[in-house]
């Protein structure tokens, strides 16, 4: 049997959390009676996630004979979990039983089962429908039950049973009726046999109340029914022992030595309901819960919800939920008072970490937020807020949830808290109090939504991520109370406003398209990972995975106007129609001449169009037959869209034109010319009434977005960036006539209101706001039709981001960045006095700036390839810059080139510095940590110490005192620090987690080494010294969303500057103190 790792999966999706058990069998060992030939894999996962796991498992299944099957069971105490399903190359049998086709599980499984890959593996049916029981089936099973119990019935009693079974041919009714009939006596004439399952369950509960005490039974069954997963026996015993009303009803005539529920009572009750409860593993603990949903429904109606017989049920349930919350908070660990005296009830302590601190208390992490969320209402928020703030808003609690794999669960319960805490009508002070507390919940919700994609993978950075929130925020204040115990570095120039990115969703390859559903309750995304995903737009939960064939890269997708159909286009020339509510593949439309680049539905639902090569193929959605094929473009069509009234169709192509078609006749009515590069996207403006003018926006790779009058063919607006000319790849109109345009890694927002009277020339407008956060080219943007300020974007960095434009302060969002170069900055160096800074770039230029005035002093030109590094000499008179094959030294005062050193070979230079006496140049190449050049004649000084080993250096840095050289060796995945005089290795840092792209020593003393990774991380290491024999980690943060290009220390203060898609300044003066 391949290795099976232990991991827990608990994911709550709405009202459903289902336990799945997979029987994993090694067929060869199973046939030879090898005890290691079988293992049970219990997955407590959501339907969608379970489907993905099944796919990973079945894709690895050999094509041998089918293994025996084992149905899922709930009472087996198995705790084997799969860590990486794809590594288990065994035959899998998975049997899932559920009612009808309700919910999304059957739809997802049927979609996967019907895929070509699976149908080739097995010829047998995947899904069997279990019909209702016949009367004969019921009678046979009832006879078997009586026989096993060694009982019999009189003819009258048997006739009574047959009539009842004929009216209710249900397995649960048969089980309940059988258990009731087994206790009948032969002389019983009045037989009480209820006519429904609900009545039988109520009768059972009533019998329990009469025999074992109403107060005790009510409380026990209420506690079981209101939990998320159930309660273990010890937990139930503890909770009941804290309920003084129950204990008072039990200890009426006797005072026990310590105040706790007698264990015998709970065991006796459990024996009475043993047939109707189940034991299952939840968060690593065996818990008790109802085995059938009908029992939970009846128990909640009888004990939890308000009804005529029990008008106080809701109040009692609230008290019970609070008791459960207090228990999992550990409030009564040291005792609970009774009549003014503290009584030690030997309650289990519910700490966040168990035992030696290595394991988290998963039961507390699951049940405590569930109970507090259920208790929260606008009326109770002011009372509950101290508890919520102390427990759920505790960053250590959130960190624990992330460590146990439930970061998305945190988003879910904060979302529920926000919905339940909306202020209602009341006094002004009450409303203000609710608003204040609700605002804090919203702040935590925004934080978790924004960071959940990172915290899921890096749970250790929860506190650091909170500390990077704006100063004065609740999160920053909470982090400041914890950072004194943690290693961290402070972000100094962090923004003063909240990040407008609500949350980030992930694909496993580049995202090619994204769009909101018509109701904006779902998000649709397509990717080169061969999937189309449907997401919940509120929580970010994945609803459906629409899998395509392995040869099909999905290039585009869209919703139908009613949101019930999804259409996707693929790279092999097919378009697929899916049921958006179930995930079923409805049909595949073949016959397109080439790759499908765009798809669009007409708002009146009469047609949809597919763009393939230079054609537009129009289809009938009712019959899925072709209506017509529109020709006119000279090359590949990249985009298409319908006008709001469905009368016009617009298309853009690589021939740089936009064409307008009449949908009824299919005739072209306008050809819009003006772009100088391929048209990447076109979109019509929203039309609210007949008096609103219709406009068409088109974006192009020429770096402009043009707004046209489509019927007249006139250009009205030209939208572009102020200084840059990035390619535009997508655009989208909001209902308020703002236009979002994807420009490389930025989203530009333009105000398209108040278009002036036509005068012949278009008005030029610039962006009013810029959204930054993606680390690669954005391929698609789309506004929500319901929420005017919400926007979604998909990029080649494999992510989708949902933005809230309300969080943009347009008055302060003006671009204040100093545009220093035309291409990304590759190196930054400060002079020793901190007055000047040199910047090098991929544009092959070296610039020197005056820091305080932000004034450009001089630009040094001469390199033929981009500059990798630059450095001032210690006295500030010289500056050196190194490219792949050339080192150049300039005199700063005279602006003259001192020397140019060219090096033949394939190994480029990485870093350089000038010696203290300005006599030599110290350089680092890709194959050597240290090379010396004479600055007078450029001759190379050979150092044999580095010739014995082959290096693959990706980043390098020379300390300011020239005593050390730090390099990153990608081959060995380690950081090396060399002594420049003895050439010995001073420090070696192994197992570096990310490929290093930048290095920097602290200054003036090189006691710390900072490294930046290609994944945007910044790590600070303390180097070996008199107090530490080995290098040690000081801090690790996710600093940027893309690769760190360069790092530099500012000499005046102990400040670190990191460059990626933005510049950030960090304080490392005292990493253990804020």
């Amino acid at each position: 049997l391949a290795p099976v790792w232990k991991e827990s999966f608990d994911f709550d999706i709405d009202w459903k959390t289902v336990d799945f058990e997979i029987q994993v069998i090694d067929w060869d060992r199973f046939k030879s009676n090898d005890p290691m030939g079988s293992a049970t894999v219990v997955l407590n996962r959501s339907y969608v996630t379970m489907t993905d796991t099944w796919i990973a498992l079945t894709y690895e299944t050999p094509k041998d004979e089918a293994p025996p099957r084992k149905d899922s069971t709930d009472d087996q105490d198995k705790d084997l979990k799969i860590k990486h399903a794809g590594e288990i190359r065994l035959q899998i049998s998975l049997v899932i039983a559920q009612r009808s086709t309700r919910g999304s599980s059957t739809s997802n499984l049927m979609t996967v089962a019907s895929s070509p890959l699976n149908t080739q593996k097995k010829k047998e049916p995947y899904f069997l429908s279990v019909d209702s029981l016949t009367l004969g089936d019921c009678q046979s099973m009832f006879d078997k039950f009586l026989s096993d119990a060694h009982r019999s019935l009189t003819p009258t009693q048997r006739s009574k049973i047959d009539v009842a079974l004929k009216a209710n041919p249900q397995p649960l009714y048969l089980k309940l009726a059988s258990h009731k009939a087994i206790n009948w006596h032969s002389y019983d004439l009045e037989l009480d046999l209820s006519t429904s399952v609900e009545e039988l369950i109520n009768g059972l509960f009533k019998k329990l109340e009469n025999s074992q005490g109403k107060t005790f039974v009510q409380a026990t069954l209420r506690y079981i029914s209101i939990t998320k997963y159930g309660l273990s026996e010890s937990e139930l015993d503890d909770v009941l022992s804290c309920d003084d009303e129950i204990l008072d009803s039990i200890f009426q005539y006797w005072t026990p030595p310590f105040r706790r529920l007698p264990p015998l009572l709970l065991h006796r009750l459990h024996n009475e309901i043993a047939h109707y409860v189940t034991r299952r593993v939840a968060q690593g603990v065996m818990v008790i819960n109802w085995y059938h949903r009908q029992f939970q429904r009846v128990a909640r109606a009888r004990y939890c919800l308000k009804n005529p017989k029990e008008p106080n049920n809701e109040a009692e349930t609230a008290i019970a939920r609070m008791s459960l919350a207090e228990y999992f908070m550990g409030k009564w660990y040291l005792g609970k008072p009774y009549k003014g005296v503290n009584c030690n009830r030997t309650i289990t302590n519910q700490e966040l970490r168990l035992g030696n601190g290595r394991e988290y208390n998963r039961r507390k992490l699951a049940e405590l937020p569930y109970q507090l969320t259920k208790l929260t209402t606008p009326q109770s928020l002011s009372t509950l807020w101290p508890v919520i703030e102390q427990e759920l808003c505790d960053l250590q609690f959130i960190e624990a949830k992330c460590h146990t794999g439930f970061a998305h669960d945190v988003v879910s319960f904060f979302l529920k808290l926000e919905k339940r805490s909306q202020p209602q009508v009341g006094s002004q002070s009450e409303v203000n109090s609710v608003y204040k507390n609700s605002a804090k919940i919203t702040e935590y919700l925004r934080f978790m939504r924004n960071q959940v994609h990172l915290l899921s993978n890096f749970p250790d950075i929860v506190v650091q991520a909170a500390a990077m929130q704006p100063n004065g925020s609740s999160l920053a204040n909470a982090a400041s109370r914890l950072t004194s115990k943690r290693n961290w570095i402070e972000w100094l120039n962090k923004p003063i406003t909240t990040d407008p990115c609500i949350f980030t969703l992930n694909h496993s390859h580049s995202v090619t398209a994204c769009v909101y559903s018509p109701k904006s309750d779902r998000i649709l995304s397509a990717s080169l990972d061969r999937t189309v995903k449907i997401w919940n737009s509120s929580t970010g939960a994945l609803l459906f995975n629409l899998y395509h064939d392995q040869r099909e890269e999905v290039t585009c997708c869209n919703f139908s106007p009613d949101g019930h159909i999804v259409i996707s286009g693929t790279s092999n020339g097919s378009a697929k129609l899916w049921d958006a509510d179930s995930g079923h593949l409805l049909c595949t439309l073949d016959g397109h001449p080439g790759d499908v680049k765009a798809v669009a539905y007409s708002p009146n639902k009469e047609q949809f169009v597919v763009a393939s090569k230079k054609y537009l193929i129009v289809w009938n959605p009712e019959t899925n037959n072709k209506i017509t094929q529109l020709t006119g473009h000279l090359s590949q069509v990249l985009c298409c869209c319908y006008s709001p009234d469905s009368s016009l169709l617009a298309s853009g192509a690589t021939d740089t034109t936009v064409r307008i078609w009449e949908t009824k006749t299919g005739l072209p009515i306008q050809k819009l010319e003006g772009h100088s590069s391929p048209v990447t996207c076109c979109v019509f403006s929203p039309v609210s009434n007949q008096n609103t003018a219709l406009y068409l926006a088109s974006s192009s790779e020429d770096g402009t977005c043009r707004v046209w009058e489509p019927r007249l063919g006139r250009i009205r607006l030209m939208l572009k960036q102020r200084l840059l000319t990035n390619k535009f790849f997508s655009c989208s109109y909001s209902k308020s006539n703002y236009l979002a345009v994807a420009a490389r890694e930025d989203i530009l927002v333009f105000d398209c209101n108040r278009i002036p009277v036509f005068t012949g020339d278009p008005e030029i407008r610039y962006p009013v706001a810029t959204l930054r956060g993606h680390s690669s080219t954005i391929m698609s943007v789309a506004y929500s039709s319901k929420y005017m300020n919400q926007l979604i974007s998909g990029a080649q960095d494999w992510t989708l981001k949902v933005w809230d434009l309300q969080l943009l302060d347009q008055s302060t969002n003006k671009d204040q960045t100093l545009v220093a170069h035309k291409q990304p900055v590759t190196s930054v160096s400060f002079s020793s006095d901190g007055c000047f800074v040199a910047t090098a770039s991929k544009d092959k230029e070296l610039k020197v700036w005056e820091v305080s005035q932000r004034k450009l002093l001089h630009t040094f030109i001469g390199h033929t390839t981009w500059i990798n590094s630059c450095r001032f000499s210690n006295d500030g008179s010289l500056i050196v810059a190194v490219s792949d094959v050339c080192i150049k030294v300039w005199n700063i005062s005279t602006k003259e080139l001192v020397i140019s050193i060219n090096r033949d070979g394939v190994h480029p230079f990485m870093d350089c510095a000038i010696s203290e006496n300005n006599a030599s140049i110290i350089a680092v190449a890709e194959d050597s940590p240290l090379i010396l050049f004479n600055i007078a004649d450029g001759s190379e000084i050979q150092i044999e110490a580095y010739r014995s080993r082959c290096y693959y250096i990706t980043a390098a840095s020379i300390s300011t005192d020239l005593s050390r050289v730090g390099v990153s060796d990608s081959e060995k995945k380690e950081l090396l620090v060399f002594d420049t005089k003895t050439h010995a290795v001073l420090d070696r840092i192994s197992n570096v987690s990310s490929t290093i792209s930048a290095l920097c020593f602290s200054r003036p003393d090189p006691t710390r080494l900072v490294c930046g990774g290609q994944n945007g991380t910044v790590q600070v290491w303390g180097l070996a010294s008199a107090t530490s024999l080995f290098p040690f980690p000081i801090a690790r943060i996710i600093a940027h969303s893309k690769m760190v290009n360069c790092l530099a220390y500012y000499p005046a203060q102990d400040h670190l500057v990191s460059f990626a898609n933005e510049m950030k300044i960090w304080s490392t003066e005292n990493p253990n103190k804020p």
Side-chain angles (χ1 to χ4, degrees), residues 132-133 138 165 167-176 196-197 294:
S132 301
L133 297 176
C138 293
L165 293 178
N168 298 279
Q170 303 164 7
L172 183 57
Y173 184 89
L174 173 63
K175 181 173 184 176
L176 289 165
S196 68
V197 171
Q294 282 280 67

Side-chain angles (χ1 to χ4, degrees), residues 87 96 124 141 162 226 296 346 359 442 448 484 581 584 631 665 756 808 861 883 918 923 959 1054 1060:
E87 295 183 10
I96 300 175
E124 59 189 89
M141 284 188 271
D162 289 344
I226 64 176
Q296 188 170 54
T346 63
E359 291 288 333
T442 301
M448 284 305 304
S484 59
D581 301 319
H584 287 163
T631 60
T665 63
L808 276 177
I861 302 174
S883 62
N918 292 348
S959 62
D1054 198 3

